[in-house]
Every structure is written in structure tokens, then in C-alpha cells.
Amino acid sequence: MSRRQQVLVALGLLTGLAVAWWWWRRDPAPPTTPAVATRPKPTAEAPGRSGSAGDVPSVPLRVMIDADPRGELRLEGMVIDADDKPVAGVTVVLGANPPRSVTTGEDGGFEFDALVGRPYTLVARGDAGIAGPVTAKLTATSEPVVLHLRPASKVRVAVVDAKGTAVDGATVELRGIDDQRATTTAGQATFATVVPGSYQVAAWARGRARALQWLQVGVGVSEATLTLVDGARVSGTVLDDKGAPVAGARVVYSGASDWSAQGDERRDAVMSQADGSFAFEALPAGSFRFVANHDQLAQGTSTLITLDGTNERTGVTITLTAGAAIRGRVLDANQQPVASARVRIGVASTAAAMLAAPPRQAFTDASGVFEIAAMPRRELVAVAIHETAASPSVKVDATRGDVAGVTLMLDVTGTIAGVVVDPTGQPIEGVQVSAGPNFRDPGANPDMSQWRLRGFPQELTDAAGRFTLTGLAPGSYLVNAMRPQAASRGRRGFGEGVAAQTGRTDLKLVLQPEGAVRGKVVFADGTAPAAYTVSIGMTSQSFARDAFELDALAPGRAELAVRGPSFQPRVVEVVIEGGKTVDVGTITVEQGRGLAGIVTVDGRPVPNAKVYAGKMIFGSGSSSSAQFGPMGRGTKEATTAADGTFALSGFLGGDLTIVAEEPTIGRSRSLRVPSQMPGQTELTLELQPFGALAGILRQSGKPAEGVFVTAQSTTTPGALYNVASGPDGSYRFDRLAPDSYKVSATLGMPMTGMKFYSKQVEVVSGKETVVDLTVEPGTVTLVITAMPGAGQLGVANVWLTSGEIAPATAAELALRMAALGPGASQWVIIRNGEPARFAEVATGRYTACVVPFPSEVKGMAAMGYAERHGDELHAFCKQLTVSAAPATQSAEVPVEIPAKIEEPPPPGAGSGSGSATP
């Protein structure tokens, strides 16, 4: 997985009511490959070290990789259509490094040779459709892989310049689980056969800066528009720690404020020359770090560099320090050497373990020996993974340089085995089975740095439906199974899995036949919205006609949500039936609440400004649109007309936040718009020149890397902006409206606890404000138990914040916490009445607040419910004092479980419980 995907997913952990586990399971991006034990000298055509490891889903779990070694194994398979007939002429792509592809023969067969034993991911595409992604663990006894073709998705990309004019002849790349390239004609590029999943779209043309954008591709047609802006040349030098030039280093840029601008090391890097010089011909305005990798030296990163996009920038310096070579052997339980074992070495766990320097990976040779050079001289941790077992994590102290004699014993032999069957008990072949941390266990506190290092085990069921997940440490896991059709539809992670302990060999997973749902979306007058999306859980698909259909859905009761830019969201409860298509009938939507007005600067209207409005606006350090996926799906946006006017519609009641920006002019202060505020269609949003905010983040007295920093207005907390600290602890927001902000260092994840260390700062137009942040943990563990007067507590948000507040609702809680300014706070999401545990709490006065959901609202439904009814959810708070002792303290907060607010029936034509057809 690339850094751009890391940032996208990890930032989702910060937001609103989203449970990290749900977000993590949304759409595992298939892996590419591990690294080679002896690293070849890079060339201009070399693939570099950027990619994903063979068993890593789409959480921020990047592993640095080199070219694959040559092995002795062969992976064979066949591509078949919906009638189980072989299909010739299909391109099959193997997730190797570099990727490899072949074309199926007349018998639909394909093969890849010279492979090593480990997991590989495959996708297929051709005129008849797409297949995959499927991850298969290759061993000497592996069975052939069968890829089932399904209708393909399509991606249309428009490329325009800053004035909105189409750019002809631009190069467009679709980067992700499958890479494709096209050239624009009349500003348009079309990819006709695309496997659903997470992608980065890149576009460039001569003399313009490269544009990058994330895109979640679902079934049907997905669209993206990329704007190419002018850029300026940036040049510099790569040096070693003695000041000598370094040739052959691969240099790539990494956006510090606009974190969508993450260059890909394999596709976007430049090579340093004999004198150490490197140059990028055109980079846009913004803040960047430049990262260099070399075979013999540890990775180096420049200081944070701010560009204006107009004037050439010279003198960028990247210093590569002496690296450490880690050498050792991998042995089995009988002290015998193990060949072709994967060895991963990464920086020892930190508070920012999910975003700091990624692990490296290599293979052992025939004697079980491994060597990984150019590792940072830091405290490291190593692990070995083989098809039969894994090793414990072994600490490696590389602070003084090379380390030899590291022994990794393959004695972690835990397994979970079982069978996948259909409801009649018949085994199902080719099902993807995977295991992940069991957050359902109230006592679970999974070390995500270990999951990052080891990866997430996956296996395909054999002809008897059997699977075995190996190399598992003792503990509880959630085991998931998914049919190939769901994977090829981007439906990965719909279910929550079955809990199983290590050592279980009789796990039986019953997969119901997948179902589908269809219906129509219209306004009361019978006309259809121009565009809308239909979502069930994390499954979302766009439509541009009145009729819709979603297939490959897991059976069960679910909420079907319809959203669009011009109408209120609608929710319909539906029961998905296996093997049937449920018709929900006609869903009539209404325009609902509207916002309108004008965007001005110095009293003059501003055309082509972007206006964003919603319950919560999620932004980066440069834009109010941060591509948060489901986290920002309630935000609507519009572009102002020539006279500066705008109109937005389709909002529900409750408080909204609205903000306008134009990248060359500035941004308005975010405005809070309550339901009853007069003049909501006569708003004036005055742009003011941007201010910048920067600083250094420290933890334990040292710069902290990879920690998220958030900024939100203390008066209007409905807009949240996010960046991440670099290796030197620096962070920067390039573009903020002048305002008072609560700036927070953010650590952790909701299911295990998030911590916020905050300061308050004034950002002034045209100036850079500097504020340093410090992570200052305490020593007390505080356990908060929500005590309902009646009923069973289900999902609830629990906050702990320094200071004393007394909010009545969840909306008021957000306002009061933002207004508190400096201090510390924590947040966790609890389920099924479990207590909330807050670690590292400092002494002082605090407020604990619990926001319970109705007991009927479970799982992913909580996100949608909070979007629709968050203003009506009550907050139950209690003031308390944390003293220096004892080490663990507790408190109880009385709560009342709210009644569920039933969704009103759609107006006009019926909402239709519909009929089910096989």
C-alpha cells in the first residue's frame, strides 16, 4: 500500500462517529509483493520500493518492497465466465513487483512461473468483464486459482486547466489494484474495464504540475475531474552525512499540507545524478517534503519546503545517513534453516506506529540466511513469516550500526482452520477467508503495530471448502469469508466476521447465497435526480438514472441510504434475501432545506469559488474537501456562478456548517447555520486571505513523526482540518481562514481509545502562525461505566475532557469542547455496555460525557443515524477529579438509552416493501 492510501484511511480514524474497525474493513486493497533478500541496484526503469505486502488490506500498513526474487514455484489458474466457460484473451495481472501480466489462452488458462511461496493477489480484465481481487497463498501444493468474470466498472476522467478548459493530450493514470494509462481526447479519458476498489488518479501535461486525486471505484461508472495548474521547477541535492553527493538515489515528493499530493516512488520519482543533483520540472504551490531512498544508505527526508508554484526553487537538500545492515537466519522448531521465509523489520512501536517509517521485507536464501541493508539506526523489531509458522517479534538494536546473528525461530504455530459451506452444508471452493483483530472482545487491546508488521492472514478455500490460517499468536480473531463475486464488486468487508480462538480447527462458516436490491428514485413530480448514490453499509454505488440495483450483498436486515446533491438523504430498511433480488419499489425524495447566497471578496462577487456545507466538513491543510470517503459523504458542494452566487439543497434539519474558498484568493470563516436562522438563502460568505499554521510536535521530548494534527474553529467546530507531522515533528496548514483554532495532536484509534493534546491559537490572514505541540501523557487509567436506567446499552460515544462543561446534546458537546481550547481529551466508542477505559490520564478536573445510541442502532447504521439525528442525541455528563493515586480509578455516568427515531415514510409514491424475485 502506498503512502497516499495510508493517509486517506488513517485520517478516517479521526472523524465523527466512524468506528475504526468498520472503516478498516471497508475495502481491502489487494497486495502486491514482498521484497528480495539481496537488493538489485536501482535503475531509471527499476520499480523502486513502494508498494504493499502480500497479505495487507487497506489499512495504513505499508511495507517497503524491492524487486521480487526468482523462485521455483508456478501459479496456475483459469478465467471463466458466468456460465463457467473458459474465456480466452483476458489480461491477468499478478501482484508482483514489478507487476506481471499474461493473457489467457483458448482454454482460459494462465500461468506465472519463477515465483516464491507467499500470498499473491490477482485481478483479470477483458472485454468480457473483470475478476478479482483474489489473494492466493502459493505453496508447492497449491491448487489452480479460478477467476470468475463479472461485469466491469468504468472510469471517466476529465482533465481541465485552472479556467475549466479541457486539456487535450494529457496523460492519465489509474493507479491501484490494477494500473492503466490513457491519453485525453477533448479533455476526456475513459477506462472501460476497471476492477472496483481504491485508486489514485494521476494526470499531467507538459509544463503543468502533476495532479493527483483519490477515487473509490464502485460498480457502474465512476467519474473524476482533475485540474492541472502551472508549476515551477524544484531542484536540489542528495548528500551523505559527510556532505558528499549521492548518486542513484530515488527522490519523490510528499505533500505535507495537501496530503493527496503523495508522489509514488515507482512512478513519480526522479533519480539523483553523479553530483547528487535532482530536479522536478513542475510542482504546484504548497508545502512538501522530499524523500530519498538508496540501496546503501538509510532513507532521508528534507525539511518542510513551501513552494509558490511560480518561481523556481533551488537548494533543496536531502541528507542520507549511514544505514544499518541486519543479518541473521530463520530456523524452524527443529533448529533447521528455512528457505524462502519472509522477514520483516520495522521501527519499534511508537504512538504513531501506523504512519511512521514502514517496515522492510526480504526473503531468506537456501540456507535460511537473510540480510536487509540501509535500515535506519534505531530500535527495530523483526519477524519471520512462513507458510507453516511465524516467529515471535524480536527486538533489534541498530542504534550503533550493523547487527549480525539475529535468529528468528518459527515457533508461532497457532492456526485457525475450518470449512466454508453453503446453507445446505455443501463446501464452497475459492472463498477468500481472512482474519483480523477481534475488537468485540471487551478485554482486547490489539497492538496494531504488530498487525502492521505481520500483515493480515488470508487463504482461499480448496475444493472441499477447507482453509487453514497459519502463524497466529494465541488470542481471539475475527474470521471473515467472502465469495469471489463480492470481491469483484468491491463489497469486501461487509460482514463483521466470526470470533475464533487460536487453535480452533473446526470453525464452520456458513455463507448464504448473495442477494440483490433494486428500486427507483424520483422526486414527487416523477422526475429523476440527475445523480445519486445508494449505500448499504460500506457498499456504495453511483447512478445517473431513476432505476438502481445493487448485487452481491450479504443477506440480512440493512439500511439502504439514498443520497444526492439536490435532495435530502432517504433511508429505507430492507431485508436482503439470499439468491433473490428484493424490489424496494419507488423511493420518493424531496429537495428539503436549502442554503443560498453569494461569495464575495472586498465586497465584489467571486466566480468559480467552491462552497461546502454539511453537518461536518472534513478538510486537509489546503482544502475544505479532503476526500474522506464515507466520513464526508453528508457534505454538499457547489461552484459559484459568474455573479458569485451559489445554491445548495437537500439538507436535513439541525445545525449546518458552510464555508467558501477560492485557492488564489482565500477562504471564508466557517459559518454555523441553525435550522431556524433567518436568511438562509441570502447568505454572504466573505473570502479573506489565507493564513498558515505551522509548528513542531514533540513526544517524550523528541520530535514525533506521523502524528495527526487537527485544527478546528473554537466558535464553529463544524469544519475539521487535518495534517500529519513529518520525521522532524514539523507540521503545516498552508491554507486556513483567519480565526481562533483549537489545534490538537491526535493519537490512537476509536476502538482502543483516541487522545487529543490541544492548544488554542489565532491564525491571521497573510501570516504564518507558529505553535508547537507536546504530547504529555499522565499515569492514571480511568474507567468510565455508563449506567442505563433501563434497557441494554449498545453503541455509545464516550468522551473525557479536561475542564468542566455541561452540554445537553451531542451537538452542544462538540461546541463546548471546541470552546475549551487548551487541554487534553480522549474519546472511545463502546459496544454492548462495556466500560470505557482511558489510559495515561493526567491529574486534574475533567468532564466525562456519554452519548448513547438507541439499542436498535448497531454497527454501520450508527454512522447514518448520527448524520440524520445527531442533533437530537442526548449527552450525559459528569464532572470528576482525577488524583495521582490509585493508578486505576473509576466513575459511573447515569444515562438513558434513547428511543429510536423512526424514519418518516417517503412522500408521494410508495416506499414499497417490494417483492423478492429469484
Side-chain angles (χ1 to χ4, degrees):
M1 171 167 301
S2 67
R3 181 174 176 82
R4 63 185 183 273
Q5 291 168 313
Q6 290 183 14
V7 177
L8 171 65
V9 180
L11 277 171
L13 302 179
L14 303 178
T15 61
L17 302 173
V19 179
W21 178 237
W22 301 332
W23 177 235
W24 172 77
R25 300 181 66 78
R26 67 184 178 100
D27 187 13
T32 50
T33 63
V36 32
T38 56
R39 301 165 58 200
K41 182 178 179 180
T43 66
E45 294 76 33
R49 297 187 301 175
S50 178
S52 306
D55 48 2
V56 180
S58 73
V59 298
L61 307 183
R62 184 181 176 218
V63 174
M64 299 293 279
I65 56 178
D66 304 296
D68 282 345
R70 183 178 180 83
E72 303 296 329
L73 300 181
R74 174 179 298 174
L75 191 154
E76 300 178 338
M78 175 180 290
V79 176
I80 60 176
D81 61 18
D83 297 322
D84 293 337
K85 296 181 179 179
V87 183
V90 175
T91 298
V92 180
V93 181
L94 180 76
N97 190 39
R100 295 171 58 181
S101 63
V102 296
T103 302
T104 57
E106 292 299 322
D107 61 352
F110 64 87
E111 63 180 44
F112 295 94
D113 59 7
L115 300 177
V116 294
R118 54 98 169 166
Y120 287 94
T121 294
L122 300 103
V123 298
R125 54 180 160 85
D127 293 340
I130 56 89
V134 169
T135 300
K137 186 168 69 177
L138 180 62
T139 68
T141 59
S142 295
E143 298 182 356
V145 177
V146 179
L147 299 177
H148 301 262
L149 290 181
R150 308 293 179 190
S153 297
K154 180 182 290 187
V155 173
R156 286 197 288 256
V157 180
V159 181
V160 299
D161 62 18
K163 297 181 180 179
T165 305
V167 178
D168 199 16
T171 301
V172 180
E173 283 186 347
L174 197 61
R175 303 170 172 179
I177 53 180
D178 180 26
D179 293 356
Q180 300 186 51
R181 177 182 284 195
T183 302
T184 58
T185 301
Q188 298 285 328
T190 299
F191 301 92
T193 54
V194 179
V195 178
S198 299
Y199 289 86
Q200 184 187 52
V201 186
W204 65 91
R206 192 173 190 82
R208 300 181 188 271
R210 191 161 296 201
L212 303 169
Q213 179 178 320
W214 284 303
L215 180 66
Q216 184 67 30
V217 176
V219 180
V221 179
S222 299
E223 297 183 338
T225 299
L226 274 69
T227 301
L228 299 185
V229 300
D230 294 335
R233 192 172 191 268
V234 178
S235 61
T237 307
V238 182
L239 305 174
D240 65 18
D241 51 8
K242 296 182 175 62
V246 176
R250 295 182 64 81
V251 182
V252 71
Y253 53 87
S254 174
S257 178
D258 178 4
W259 35 264
S260 66
Q262 303 295 327
D264 185 281
E265 191 178 336
R266 183 159 58 88
R267 304 171 180 93
D268 302 317
V270 296
M271 191 76 70
S272 63
Q273 304 304 303
D275 60 355
S277 64
F278 68 90
F280 292 93
E281 291 305 318
L283 287 179
S287 294
F288 292 86
R289 298 182 181 93
F290 295 87
V291 183
N293 285 287
H294 190 271
D295 276 357
Q296 304 303 318
L297 299 168
Q299 183 185 82
T301 304
S302 73
T303 58
L304 195 150
I305 305 294
T306 301
L307 310 174
D308 63 12
T310 301
N311 299 299
E312 180 180 358
R313 178 65 181 263
T314 61
V316 177
T317 300
I318 308 173
T319 300
L320 303 184
T321 59
I326 314 301
R327 305 179 183 91
R329 300 181 75 189
V330 176
L331 305 176
D332 63 20
N334 297 317
Q335 304 288 319
Q336 298 301 305
V338 179
S340 298
R342 288 175 285 157
V343 176
R344 290 182 177 178
I345 303 178
V347 175
S349 177
T350 67
M354 303 303 285
L355 284 180
R360 288 274 306 283
Q361 180 172 275
F363 284 92
T364 56
D365 63 15
S367 301
V369 173
F370 68 87
E371 177 177 347
I372 301 181
M375 291 296 298
R377 295 193 173 191
R378 299 176 61 177
E379 294 283 347
L380 306 174
V381 61
V383 67
I385 306 167
H386 192 254
E387 63 180 85
T388 57
S391 77
S393 298
V394 175
K395 293 182 178 180
V396 179
D397 185 358
T399 56
R400 297 182 180 179
D402 296 353
V403 179
V406 177
T407 299
L408 301 176
M409 297 287 298
L410 295 177
D411 54 9
V412 178
T413 58
T415 63
I416 295 177
V419 63
V420 179
V421 299
D422 66 19
T424 68
Q426 295 301 307
I428 310 176
E429 182 180 7
V431 171
Q432 191 84 70
V433 181
S434 61
N438 182 10
F439 285 110
R440 295 182 196 167
D441 183 352
N445 188 22
D447 183 352
M448 292 307 295
S449 66
Q450 283 296 310
W451 283 94
R452 179 192 198 198
L453 187 65
R454 295 173 178 273
F456 293 75
Q458 298 185 67
E459 181 66 281
L460 289 178
T461 57
D462 61 18
R466 303 292 307 180
F467 67 89
T468 302
L469 301 171
T470 60
L472 302 178
S476 179
Y477 297 80
L478 283 181
V479 183
N480 237 330
M482 181 172 19
R483 295 174 186 267
Q485 182 175 355
S488 66
R489 283 295 192 238
R491 307 286 193 248
R492 302 175 72 95
F494 181 87
E496 290 192 347
V498 175
Q501 292 285 333
T502 307
R504 184 167 180 180
T505 59
D506 61 348
L507 186 62
K508 187 175 183 179
L509 302 177
V510 180
L511 270 188
Q512 300 289 331
E514 292 161 343
V517 59
R518 67 184 177 203
K520 295 178 66 176
V521 178
V522 299
F523 288 110
D525 63 3
T527 62
Y532 62 94
T533 61
V534 178
S535 303
I536 293 181
M538 283 296 184
T539 295
S540 184
Q541 185 172 332
S542 299
F543 297 91
R545 57 187 186 278
D546 61 349
F548 68 85
E549 182 169 338
L550 290 176
D551 64 354
L553 299 174
R557 185 176 298 276
E559 286 188 345
L560 183 149
V562 181
R563 294 179 175 84
S566 60
F567 60 85
Q568 286 183 338
R570 293 295 310 158
V571 173
V572 175
E573 291 193 355
V574 60
V575 177
I576 307 299
E577 299 184 45
K580 298 181 179 180
T581 298
V582 176
D583 191 336
V584 298
T586 299
I587 301 174
T588 303
V589 295
E590 55 183 325
Q591 187 176 27
R593 180 181 172 191
L595 301 178
I598 186 170
V599 176
T600 63
V601 60
D602 297 328
R604 296 177 285 105
V606 180
N608 297 317
K610 286 289 188 180
V611 181
Y612 303 90
K615 297 279 189 181
M616 175 65 78
I617 296 170
F618 299 102
S620 66
S622 299
S623 169
S624 293
S625 176
Q627 303 176 37
F628 268 106
M631 308 312 166
R633 62 188 177 186
T635 301
K636 298 177 186 291
E637 63 180 80
T639 302
T640 56
D643 61 356
T645 59
F646 69 89
L648 292 160
S649 62
F651 296 103
L652 296 167
D655 289 357
L656 298 173
T657 298
I658 187 167
V659 64
E661 64 188 30
E662 204 284 336
T664 64
I665 299 175
R667 180 181 297 155
S668 69
R669 291 175 183 259
S670 54
L671 175 66
R672 197 75 169 174
V673 186
S675 294
Q676 304 305 317
M677 189 183 89
Q680 297 190 27
T681 58
E682 300 172 346
L683 302 173
T684 297
L685 303 177
E686 178 73 14
L687 299 186
Q688 301 181 55
F690 294 110
L693 174 62
I696 303 294
L697 192 151
R698 294 180 175 87
Q699 183 174 9
S700 301
K702 299 178 181 179
E705 177 187 4
V707 176
F708 282 110
V709 180
T710 64
Q712 60 176 329
S713 167
T714 59
T715 56
T716 312
L720 186 70
Y721 299 93
N722 306 267
V723 297
S725 61
D728 58 358
S730 64
Y731 72 90
R732 192 174 196 272
F733 295 82
D734 286 344
R735 297 170 179 168
L736 289 175
D739 204 345
S740 175
Y741 289 91
K742 182 176 183 177
V743 186
S744 306
T746 304
L747 294 86
M749 55 192 302
M751 294 304 288
T752 56
M754 296 189 71
K755 302 179 179 70
F756 307 87
Y757 300 89
S758 308
K759 288 186 176 180
Q760 187 167 327
V761 63
E762 293 289 331
V763 173
V764 180
S765 286
K767 295 183 179 181
E768 178 181 276
T769 301
V770 177
V771 58
D772 294 339
L773 298 173
T774 304
V775 175
E776 298 176 317
T779 59
V780 175
T781 296
L782 181 62
V783 180
I784 302 295
T785 303
M787 303 296 292
Q792 176 64 40
L793 186 67
V795 177
N797 291 315
V798 186
W799 283 93
L800 179 71
T801 183
S802 55
E804 297 185 6
I805 55 176
T809 66
E812 287 184 22
L813 174 61
L815 288 167
R816 301 293 181 268
M817 289 190 63
L820 278 173
S825 58
Q826 297 192 38
W827 166 54
V828 69
I829 296 175
I830 61 172
R831 296 171 50 165
N832 302 324
E834 64 194 21
R837 298 181 65 87
F838 297 106
E840 299 180 334
V841 180
T843 58
R845 290 287 292 171
Y846 288 86
T847 301
C849 291
V850 180
V851 180
F853 283 79
S855 56
E856 299 93 336
V857 177
K858 303 179 185 300
M860 278 299 306
M863 288 180 62
Y865 191 88
E867 178 187 348
R868 300 188 301 276
H869 306 296
D871 294 335
E872 301 164 272
L873 287 172
H874 288 282
F876 299 89
C877 300
K878 181 177 184 177
Q879 280 75 46
L880 49 90
T881 299
V882 175
S883 55
T888 300
Q889 300 171 35
S890 61
E892 295 180 349
V893 178
V895 302
E896 295 179 10
I897 300 174
K900 184 181 180 183
I901 301 173
E902 297 299 334
E903 304 298 330
S911 59
S913 58
S915 58
T917 57

